[in-house]
Every structure is written in C-alpha cells, then in structure tokens.
Amino acid sequence: MIATDTLVSFFLETRQHTEDICKPLEIEDYVVQPIVDVSPPKWHLGHTSWFFEEFILKPHKPNYKLFHEDFAFVFNSYYENVGKRVIRNDRGNLSRPGVAKVYDYRHYVTNEMKDFLSGEISAEIEKILLIGIHHEKQHQELLITDIKYILGNNPLLLKYNHSFSENPHQKFQREWIEMDEGIYEIGHKNSDEFCYDNELGRHKVFLHDYKISNKLVTNAEYLEFINAGGYKDFNLWHAEGLDWVKQNQIEAPMYWHNIDGEWHQYTLQGLQKIDADAPLSHISYFEAFAFAQWKECRLPTEFEWEAAQQNFEWGSRWEWTESAYLPYPGYKKAPGAIGEYNGKFMVNQKVLRGGSVATPNKHTRPTYRNFFQTNLRWQFTGLRLAQ
Amino acid sequence: MIATDTLVSFFLETRQHTEDICKPLEIEDYVVQPIVDVSPPKWHLGHTSWFFEEFILKPHKPNYKLFHEDFAFVFNSYYENVGKRVIRNDRGNLSRPGVAKVYDYRHYVTNEMKDFLSGEISAEIEKILLIGIHHEKQHQELLITDIKYILGNNPLLLKYNHSFSENPHQKFQREWIEMDEGIYEIGHKNSDEFCYDNELGRHKVFLHDYKISNKLVTNAEYLEFINAGGYKDFNLWHAEGLDWVKQNQIEAPMYWHNIDGEWHQYTLQGLQKIDADAPLSHISYFEAFAFAQWKECRLPTEFEWEAAQQNFEWGSRWEWTESAYLPYPGYKKAPGAIGEYNGKFMVNQKVLRGGSVATPNKHTRPTYRNFFQTNLRWQFTGLRLAQ
Amino acid sequence: MIATDTLVSFFLETRQHTEDICKPLEIEDYVVQPIVDVSPPKWHLGHTSWFFEEFILKPHKPNYKLFHEDFAFVFNSYYENVGKRVIRNDRGNLSRPGVAKVYDYRHYVTNEMKDFLSGEISAEIEKILLIGIHHEKQHQELLITDIKYILGNNPLLLKYNHSFSENPHQKFQREWIEMDEGIYEIGHKNSDEFCYDNELGRHKVFLHDYKISNKLVTNAEYLEFINAGGYKDFNLWHAEGLDWVKQNQIEAPMYWHNIDGEWHQYTLQGLQKIDADAPLSHISYFEAFAFAQWKECRLPTEFEWEAAQQNFEWGSRWEWTESAYLPYPGYKKAPGAIGEYNGKFMVNQKVLRGGSVATPNKHTRPTYRNFFQTNLRWQFTGLRLAQ
Amino acid sequence: MIATDTLVSFFLETRQHTEDICKPLEIEDYVVQPIVDVSPPKWHLGHTSWFFEEFILKPHKPNYKLFHEDFAFVFNSYYENVGKRVIRNDRGNLSRPGVAKVYDYRHYVTNEMKDFLSGEISAEIEKILLIGIHHEKQHQELLITDIKYILGNNPLLLKYNHSFSENPHQKFQREWIEMDEGIYEIGHKNSDEFCYDNELGRHKVFLHDYKISNKLVTNAEYLEFINAGGYKDFNLWHAEGLDWVKQNQIEAPMYWHNIDGEWHQYTLQGLQKIDADAPLSHISYFEAFAFAQWKECRLPTEFEWEAAQQNFEWGSRWEWTESAYLPYPGYKKAPGAIGEYNGKFMVNQKVLRGGSVATPNKHTRPTYRNFFQTNLRWQFTGLRLAQ
C-alpha cells in the first residue's frame, strides 16, 4: 500500500500536468481530428475525467451526482462493457461540449475525487486509482503526439512552444552489446510498483546468443537508406509493407519535408533542418524492418530488448521490436470494462519498448509493453538494431 | 448603374449580416466539418472575404497589401483558375487560422473595401462587387444550413436560438392552378437588376397544358407516404434512388427522429414534435420524386414553375423540379475564375426553384436557378406537385 | 397487327443472330465479367431467354414447364418486381450453369416459343413479343461491346474476327446545317412500328435557330485536342468530369494505346494504328463536352438532333447529346416488371441518339432514345457538334 | 541426394495429381475468381508450370524455347523479382489463354522437364526442383479449397464429386495431454528431407507447463458456442475480430447454412446436415480465439503444438495457433525470387500447424509452418484447445 498523501499528490499532479500540456493551445486546436488515430485534445481532457467518474465516483462515492448524463456517451472510448460507444472518428465532428465546459467537467471530477480520497482508500480503490492515473499519463503522451499532428498538418506549420526538445543527441559511438545464450526472466515482478496486466506473469524465455546496439538509429543513417533507394528496393520490404509504401506514396518519415532539395523536419518547435545526429523518429514498423534488412541486421525481439536494456540508454523513442503483441503465459483478462484495456488488442500489432520524449515522468519502465499497428507513425517511434 | 451610396450600404449590410448569423455560436462551433457538404463557419467567413480580396482589392486597389499570404490557399474554394485549392474535406482539419484571426481578416477586408469604394466605382468593379455581395448572400444561406447540421448532428441536439422560424404554415386549401399550352418566355430580362449568368439568355419554351399546386407538400402528407410504406415500394423510386435508400437506410427526411413511436423534428429552435401543417423539408430529389409518383402526380419542370410562379406563394422551401441543371440556349461561360461559378456544375444535378427560410433578403427572384445533387438533404428542400 | 409469319420469322432470326454473334468465342470468353458494366456473354444468352420464359411462356403457355427453377434467379437482371435479383457484379463469379447448358436453355425456350407462336397471337402477346425481340436486339449490341471489352482488356489483345468493321469513313467535308427557329414535333408517332415507351408522347418543342454538323467528329480532330493539352485544361471540363479524369488518369479514349509515341486503337479486328478519318469512338459524355468547349461549339440537344436528323447520315456512333434523360410530357410508366424497363433510369444520365456499328438491323430509328451515365465509354460513343 | 529415378517419378506424379484434381471440373469452372483469395483453377495450372519454366528451364536448359512469351506475365504470382506482376484480383478477368491452351502449356513444360531431367541433376537443380514440386503441392491444396469456393458459392450449390471425404470422425474421448516445463528443440533438423526455409534454424525454446487436447474441437461443441450467443458476447473477441464479425455479419463458420432452423454444411459432396462429431472447419483465427475464450482455455503456441504433436493425431484440419508468423532465430531470406517465398509474409499473420484433408500426400510434416491472415476461412481450418 502506498501512503494516502503520496497517492493524492500523485493524482493531483497528474491532473494538473494534463492541463499544463494544453496551455499553449488556442480553443480551436482542442476541437479537430484530422485522422482517425488522432483525438481532439478536448476529448482527451474529457475522457480521462470520465474514467475516474465511471470507475470510481459513480460506483463508490455515496450520492455522487453525474456532471452531465450524456457525457459518458460522448467521452467513453472503446469500452464495450460500458454502454454504446461513439464511433471513434466522429469525435472531431462534435463542437460541444465546448472547451470551457470540458474544463468545468475536469475540475468537477478532480474536486469530487479529492473529496473522495480524503477518506480511507481501500486496496481495491487504490488499484483502480493507479490505473486511472497511468491511463491519464498515457493520454498525456497522446495529447502531445496528437497536438503535433494537429499543428504540423496545418499548412501554416504552427509551433507548439519554444522549449519542447524532441531530438536529444546520443553523444557516443555505436557499440554492439553481446548477450549470452540462456534462460532469462521476462516480465514484471508484481512488486508494489504499478504495472499493467500485460506485463505480469514473469516467466522464463530461452534466448540464443545475440548482439544489440547501444545506440538508436540516427537521422543521418536513415538518410543514407533513403538516398540508396531503400523505399524502392522491394527485396527489403514485407509484401504488406510494400503495398503500404505504394498506396501512400511514402518517401520519408512522417514530418519530413523536402524543401528545394534539402530535408527538413517539422518539430513541436516548428520547421527545422534535419538534425543528423538525432535519433530517427516517426517511422512505421514496416520502415524499421526495411531499414534493418538494408543494414543486414534485424530488429530485436521484446525479450532480447528487456534482457539487455540495462546495458544501454533508452527513453527518447518508442523502439519497434520484431515481437508481435501477444499474451504472456498465464495471462488472464480482468473481468469487466477494466479488462478491455489491453487484452483485446493482442492481435496484428507489434510491441514497442522503451519510452519517448513525450512519455510523462514515472510512466514507463523496463517491462512496459507499448503496442501499435505496423503502419502507424504519429508517435515518436524509432529503432535499435540487433544481430 | 446603381448609386454609389446604395452600393456601399448594400455591401456593408451584407458583411454585417453574415456576422450577425454567427452571433449565437461558440468558438468551437466555427471549426468542425461533420460531412463534406458542410463547411466550418469560420471557413465561410474567410472565404467570402477572400473573394473580395482576390477579385477586387488585389487586382484593382493600388498598393493593396494582402492580410496574410497563405490565406488565399486556405480560403479559396473551387476556383481552379486561382492557384492550388485545398481539398474540400480537409477544411474541418484546420484549427488555425483561429476564429479571432478570421474576424480580423474580415474586418481588414471590409475596411479596405470601404476605403476603395469611397472612390469612383467603374462598371466593371460594380459588376464584380455585386457578384461578391450575392456570393456572400449564398454563403449566408449555407451558414444557416451548415450550422443546423453542426448543432443538429451533435448528440446534445443543441439550439441555435429561440427565434428562427423554420416552419411557416400555409393557411389555405390546395388548389390546382391550370396553365395553358403555349410559348412562354423563360429566363432573366437582363435588366439592371442583378442576376447570375445561368439565368440569362431569356428564351422561348413551348409548354403543354399542365396543372400546378398552389401549395407545398406538408409534413402530414409526407407522413402518410411513410406510413403507407413509401420507402419500401420499389416501383415508386428511380433505380439510383432505391440504392441510395438502401445503402443509407433512409426511413424519413433528414432531422426527423422517431422517439417512442412519435415523430419529432430537429429545428434551429431545438427538437419539436412534427408540425403537420408545415411544409415538408430536408428531403432529397429522390424522395420528392417517389412521393410525387405515389400521389400519381409529378414534379414540375423549372419552366412550368417559372411560368406559373406569380400564381402562388413561394420562398419557404427550395422546390425540387424535374429539370436537370443545363445551360440555357446561348449560354457562354465567362472567362477566368468568375466563369467557374455556375457553368462547371451543369451536369448530374437538378434545378431547385424558389427560395427558403434560410435565403437572405434580396437574394432570390422568380428566375433564380439553384441546383444540387439528387441525394442532398441538408438544405431546406421541399416540393410542389404538378400534373 | 403484323402478320404472324413475319413475326415468327423476326423472332427466329433474332434468336439466331444472337448466337451468330457468339460464334467466334471460346467457352472461357462466355464466363468472365471484367467490370460491372460488362456482363458475361453466357448471361446475355440466358437473360434474353429468361425474358420470353418469364413474360410469355410462364403466364401464357398452358402447361409450360420451366427449364430449371433456379434460372429465373440467375438470369433476371434488374426487375425488382420479379423476385430477388442477383447482385449485378456477381454475374462473373458463376461458372455454372455452363455454356452448353445455357444453349440448351436457349433452344428449349426458342422451341417452346415456336410452338406457342404457331397458335393465334393476341395483340397483348404481340406487344410483349416485340418488346422481347427488341430487348434481345439491345443485348446483341451489348454482346458486341462486352465481348470487345473482354477480349480487348486481356493483355493478349485478342481478335474477335477479321471482318467486323468498326470504323466506316465519312467521305465528305464538314458543313453546318442551318435550322430555323420554331416549333418542332418530337417523339414517336405511335404508328404500327415498334417503339419503346420512352419515345412516346409526341409533343411540341420550341427550338431557337441552331446549326448542326453533317459529320461526326473524327479521330484526327480529337488527336488535336489531346495534343493541345485538352485533358489538362480545367476550363474545358465540368467539375465532376475533371475529378473523373484525375481519378482515373484518363489521357485518351478507351482502347487507345500509345506505343512508342504512336497512337493505336484496339478494335474487334485487333490492334491497329489510329485511323484519322474514322469517327471518334469510346468517349464519355465528359470528354464529348470538353471537346466541344475546346472547339467553341456545343453538343446538340436531343430535340435539335431529332429535328435535323434527316439532313445527315447517322448510325455508326451513339452520339452524346446535351440532354438529360427525362420523361416526355405525359409519360406514364407501364405497370409491373415491364414498366421497369425505362422509367426508373430517368435521372443522372444523358441521352444518346443515332445508333452504332454494333446496333443490330431494324433496331434503331430517328426517335430512339439511348441513355448512359456520363462516365461510361465501353459503347461505340461519339459526338456531333452544334452551335 | 535423392536417386534421379525417384526424383523424376516424384515430379511426374505430382504433375499428374494436379490434373487429376481438376478432372471433375467443367471448362467454365477453371475461369472464375469469386474473391481475391481464390484463384481460377486454370491459373493454378499455369502458375505451377511457369515456376518450372522460369526457375529451371529458362536459366538451365540449353536452347529452351519459351512456350509463349506473354505467359510469364500472366502466370507469375507475387514475385517482384521477376518482372511486372498481374494485379492479383485481375486473374478472374482473363478468359484467355483458354483451358486447352493452358493444358498444352503444362504438357509442354512437363515434357521439357522430363527431357531435362533425363540428364544429370546437380544439387542446385535438385533443390529448386524439390521447391517446385512442393510449391505445386501447395497449389494442389489451394486448388481443392478454391474449387470448393467456386462451386459452393454458386446458388446451385454444385457437387465436386461423390468421394471426397472432408469430415473424418475422431472416435475417442477428449483427454488433456500434460507437458512438462523445460527447453524444447523446435524447427526442422535440416536432414535430407525437404523443408521450407521458414522451418530451418532448429533452436531452443523454453516452455512452461501446459496441457493440450488430444482432439480437435468438433462441430457439436461449436454449435453450443453459437447457441450460447458466442458471436454477440464482445468480451470473447479481439477488438479487430469484433469489427470483422459486425462488418461481415458473421454468424457461423463459412459454408454453414441455416435451412428452416437446421444447420447444414456445404461440402465437396454437396449440402449435408451438420455432422456433430466431425472436426470444426472453415473458421477464422478470430473465431478460434473467441471459442477458446468461451471455453476458458486458449490456443496453443506453435512451439507447444510441435513439442506435443507426437502425442496426438493431426492432419485433418489446419490448426490455428496463438503464434504470430515470425522468423526463427537466424532466419535469412534466400537471395532473389525464390527468397520471396516465405519471408515477406512474416507480419500480421498467424501460424497454422498440422495439415488438412486437402493437403496432398508427402506435403506436410511436424515442423511445417502454414500461415494466413486472421480473417481468412476458405481453407480447412480448425482448432485444438490448450491450457
């Protein structure tokens, strides 16, 4: 059990941080949804509040009064167990509730929670509370990547602010970390520390000898791949990846713009020349795989990554692995809506390990399993080579 | 030539009226685009301003300085002659320029125009100015119908205001106006009064004897059609209409909601019970045709409508006619971008005559030819029977 | 009334001619459906037989035994009144009934009809019989154009035979036929001669002075349009036409192939160099319209065409007109399935007049109204200019 | 090295067996392609011949003359390395080359191969020859499943023959085979026996204790799942699976027909009542997963299956596993077109183990890795439970 004070602070800091992320926005930026994977910021603000209302306040706080009875309908996301969900790509069509109203909703929920948490917190509540806090942290990361998409896909190429640093350099040479064949323990130890259900079930995995790079692939390296015709060499690609490249006429990572022959990158600080030493970002799994093929290397599995991770720095990019997102041995979906969190996505997605410049504080860890479809690029995704 | 004062007042009143229409909106309502046919209100505000900037200020006002050089790109609509246009259904993805900025743009353009119009106004300028004013009036009508869509397709079913009256009654019995066979003159006389190029070329048309109703079809009549299974009787429909009904699962006019067995209609004043005596609204051409078949009548042609119109009241609904939207004899497209206004839409659309509760003052007239694709319903569209 | 012998001969000759058209085919050619508008030849053979079975033998011949009870399901086309129809683009998925079986079905129906027609033929039967014969003649034309598509869209560019002559020259100079303003009678006289219901209702139309070319537009003229960049000059096109050009990357008429810089045309006799003096063929309405714009002319209306037609030769190309396909004054759809023949297509299509090299003997006439959607090109479609 | 005689016999028997499979077909059945995953039988006949022509005769047989220079274009499938491929779902649009011609091509290639193999066979040739033979065996299986689709999706529900037995009973009780935790060797031993490259790289895998059923899931068990509302209980499904169920309105395995309340199954011997004791067939991975969830069990991984397989009978159904199709440690794609065989499909597919009633003799083995997308059902796919 965590001390109540600590828990409450953790909750309130998280609620506050979400709002801090939105400070640079104009009201209009909260509303739009340019692609289905990006949600309007006001939806994130509402949805993370709805989570606490739905799973804590409504069932557990005596005499709790819903802020607005239609909001569960508007701000639910993917939870089939909790009523009729809004079709996901309709979110950007709803001008109301307006931004001010959504903030009212947030503050109402935050205050009601504060009130509720001033009493005794049972183990059950603590568990759901922690899920809710980490759920909100995930949406903090999505807020940043979704805001980047909203501002960066506007022909005006708008800046978010002047301080968000996307491109930390890796000031060291590439080295290959050599790992020995053997049985490794993989997964979370189920200690007091929070983790998601998909990390549990610590188990043994046999790994053969392998090498893994201490350094993420850089923009400079990827530029060589582009210049060598990597996007046109079909031998490097999965069949499905090649179809994706052709249909979408992909020629570079997302946010790269070739202006008069010179490559630029849209960042949250605006358009900049490509930073050669920065870690590559905003690529799909298909591109990560093709690049590795071109280098006559491969992507690590998530097990190889976890077994070796203490030997290298990580956290600036979500790193595509070769592993499909599958349940660990003994994985059981929790009953009810909370159980929909992870298990139902365990097909046709790839695991990403690490974290990114958009990941909030205290959110990721060595056993954390992120996952996306193989074609998605709007997250800060990169890669690390293995052999 | 119209007196300069009159022209300037007409311009300024029109500019003001556009903004008046938007007064009930919250900022968020200006931004969204729920379907491709609906544009975000802020786009209408910007686009009508861009028209004056592009066709009057830029070419004719000495030393005119563009408000923002990217706005032509953002606010152009369908004018292939004037640079690269934005893909139409991207409008709802652009959070910026924000609403305040768009109003700044409007006011800048209005003031620059006011300044420009304080000098002498040539016949050429007068002509473009009048097109610009009537262009803006068309967008005033679209603003109302688009706002209705934005508010009415939100699960919160929001009200626009408490005074907009959509459903004027026709307090009289149906009578059949009998019209004689003969040659009629159709089209605008090309007097001083403004008209669009598609109305010009007054010409002779031979009409056979016909009868036309003095009254629009009412909600009560259409309800009979629904209750008689009209949507399911394939013999009443065009093949293409039937496909449209099936694919879109159409069972009633747009904005009708069946709540516990009783039909309601969403109006700009909110949800109301169906008003039996009000003229039917928000139907497609396909529905208008099927209803007329069911009544063993037909829709009038646009020529029949025009020849008979002084014998009945019109103006609360755009009335679908049986006429395809085609050029009048001798029609010539004007050169350049202004010429794109009408001619390029003269295929696969139907003519609507009259006007609607959303049509602004001084905008329509007996020769006015409105036109839409046969499946569209978000305008205040209705029908009048003929035999 | 037509003499029974003449009728029976007409029936039998028509039945035979359909089979003659198919003689050059291999069995496999009868089966495929490369695009939704093209039907497999075996389907045409079955469908034209089903028509006689459904509308004559089944209701009128005593003790008639259906050849196969599932064939009505397989060979019905668009008749909503007669049971569940097969989704149109499924036709090409059905390998059975096989070709031999379909011929058995044809011969069975032909023989039953022959037997039935040996008795007295009532006026009602005669009427349906003539519709059935002309229905089959329409499918003879479709057989030729569909076979052309099947063989010509195969990478082997197969020949149909060595004698089918698609490209008759017009050995005369262009002249403009001048027609006077006045009232013209349009439509079929409803004499003994067969016609479709959409031609009936002979009525008066007022035409203004106009000129119409005595000659169809040739390949040579159209080549000038292509070389002048006609496909890229957006001012020449309807907005919908331009979208069609862009989406389908249209650069030339259907069946034109640019081989090493020289234009060729696939014909039923195989690939040939473009015949400069032949009438243009296989163009959409959109292309016909854009070409006319480029020539600073226009397409005639169907009324202008009919009023002037005795002054020029016609019959090698279906000629696009500017007229939308609409009912004539007083048009009433016949009750039941026969009534579905024409009326339900009277929206969003254009009228074509004349006939083509694929039109069978005795099938077309000056009042004949053919109709297609504006983007279709697989028929032998061309154009004649008007002013 | 295998004795030349044995090799030649193996080749000739395989070639003959392909033709034997097609004996019950009518010519028309060879031509159609009702869905993109099903190829026309004549394409299979040509494609398997093209393989030997392209990879053996053309590069290795002196003075070999191509049968037809366009056939490589028509019969290539997915090999990007060997010229421009035909878009896959165009196969069903090609009526020619006709069936007789395709058999001529087959026999020409078979005879040329026979001639070529009468000389000395190098190790390199033997390797390609064996790949070609097994490639043809894979297409034998596809021929049977594609023929089933072609005949079974025809409203006439045609029989293939009277002897093909799809539904062998499992005449024993369900038992759970208990397997111990430990390291297991997985993959092919790379002996003289043929295998594909995706089975090589025999390697160690650590497995935890598990149980696996000795018996495939039966129709009777699946019927309970259907009757219990399994298709509507969203908690049982992956999110992507649920979308698939809804969009395609899936209510039962492929080929199941509910006739007057009683379930039937279309089989190659025609329509039959559901055989309760037969192993379930024609289900997607999504359905296999949902069924296992409902039983509170799971699917085995491919490693668990391989480690336990000698303890149970297998071979009547391809068994969906929980394993994603991924490369084994050390997997390297072979260079050139042959290398496109397996590696490029290693994303977003699931491994199936075992074999099916359609799998030809000598084609499968304990290490064989079949793979399909998660929504496909036209193969004889079933499942075995694990815990």
Side-chain angles (χ1 to χ4, degrees), chain D residues 330-387:
Chain D
Y331 174 76
K332 288 276 179 222
K333 226 165 74 165
I338 292 287
E340 291 187 48
Y341 208 85
N342 274 308
K344 74 178 177 184
F345 300 114
M346 289 177 176
V347 68
N348 295 336
Q349 307 209 28
K350 285 287 189 183
V351 173
L352 301 98
R353 289 301 194 98
S356 87
V357 289
T359 311
N361 193 17
K362 295 190 212 168
H363 183 57
T364 189
R365 57 202 155 264
T367 59
Y368 193 101
R369 307 175 78 200
N370 202 350
F371 51 91
F372 285 106
Q373 276 94 2
T374 46
N375 64 319
L376 295 180
R377 312 204 293 175
W378 94 113
Q379 296 297 305
F380 290 91
T381 48
L383 83 142
R384 179 184 305 278
L385 294 170
Q387 293 186 339

Side-chain angles (χ1 to χ4, degrees), chain D residues 290-308:
Chain D
F291 176 83
Q293 287 281 108
W294 182 70
K295 294 292 265 188
E296 298 184 345
C297 293
R298 59 179 178 83
L299 303 178
T301 65
E302 64 168 322
F303 311 117
E304 289 171 338
W305 190 96
E306 187 172 327

Side-chain angles (χ1 to χ4, degrees), chain B residues 33-95:
Chain B
Q33 179 176 41
I35 55 166
V36 67
D37 304 297
V38 164
S39 292
K42 76 183 174 97
W43 186 88
H44 287 296
L45 295 179
H47 172 69
T48 49
S49 303
W50 166 83
F51 190 100
F52 292 111
E53 184 175 66
E54 178 70 29
F55 295 116
I56 296 185
L57 295 170
K58 207 168 111 185
H60 299 292
K61 187 166 189 232
N63 305 316
Y64 177 72
K65 198 173 156 298
L66 287 177
F67 180 76
H68 189 301
E69 62 177 19
D70 289 340
F71 278 21
F73 178 70
V74 172
F75 290 122
N76 185 354
S77 61
Y78 45 83
Y79 303 104
E80 301 273 353
N81 280 288
V82 191
K84 197 175 160 188
R85 62 175 170 165
V86 188
I87 298 302
R88 201 168 178 223
N89 67 351
D90 276 345
R91 286 177 196 166
N93 297 340
L94 302 185
S95 60

Side-chain angles (χ1 to χ4, degrees), chain A residues 129-227:
Chain A
L129 177 63
L130 283 169
I131 292 177
I133 290 169
H134 284 279
H135 170 256
E136 182 145 349
K137 283 177 175 285
Q138 280 188 297
H139 281 276
Q140 288 169 358
E141 175 149 10
L142 289 170
L143 265 170
I144 288 172
T145 54
D146 292 3
I147 289 168
K148 182 170 180 180
Y149 197 96
I150 288 166
L151 302 180
N153 282 275
N154 188 306
L156 306 175
L157 289 175
L158 305 151
K159 291 180 192 185
Y160 170 64
N161 70 16
H162 294 284
S163 59
F164 193 100
S165 175
E166 291 183 14
N167 287 323
H169 283 210
Q170 304 166 89
K171 298 179 179 34
F172 45 84
Q173 291 298 309
R174 158 145 312 138
E175 279 169 28
W176 291 101
I177 299 159
E178 307 205 358
M179 298 290 294
D180 289 335
E181 175 173 304
I183 290 176
Y184 289 84
E185 296 269 327
I186 297 294
H188 198 271
K189 281 174 182 160
N190 204 7
S191 58
D192 278 358
E193 191 200 33
F194 175 82
C195 76
Y196 285 116
D197 62 355
N198 63 2
E199 303 164 58
L200 288 175
R202 190 162 170 89
H203 63 288
K204 294 184 181 122
V205 171
F206 186 91
L207 299 178
H208 292 76
D209 289 343
Y210 67 104
K211 295 178 191 169
I212 189 164
S213 171
N214 66 331
K215 195 173 169 180
L216 290 166
V217 167
T218 63
N219 285 333
E221 290 173 291
Y222 200 76
L223 204 47
E224 286 175 42
F225 168 76
I226 295 177
N227 292 336

Side-chain angles (χ1 to χ4, degrees), chain C residues 28-29 95-96 99 154 158, chain D residues 28-29 95-96 99 154 158:
Chain C
E28 295 87 342
D29 302 327
S95 61
R96 314 274 185 94
V99 175
N154 187 307
L158 304 152
Chain D
E28 295 86 341
D29 302 327
S95 61
R96 316 271 186 94
V99 175
N154 188 306
L158 305 152

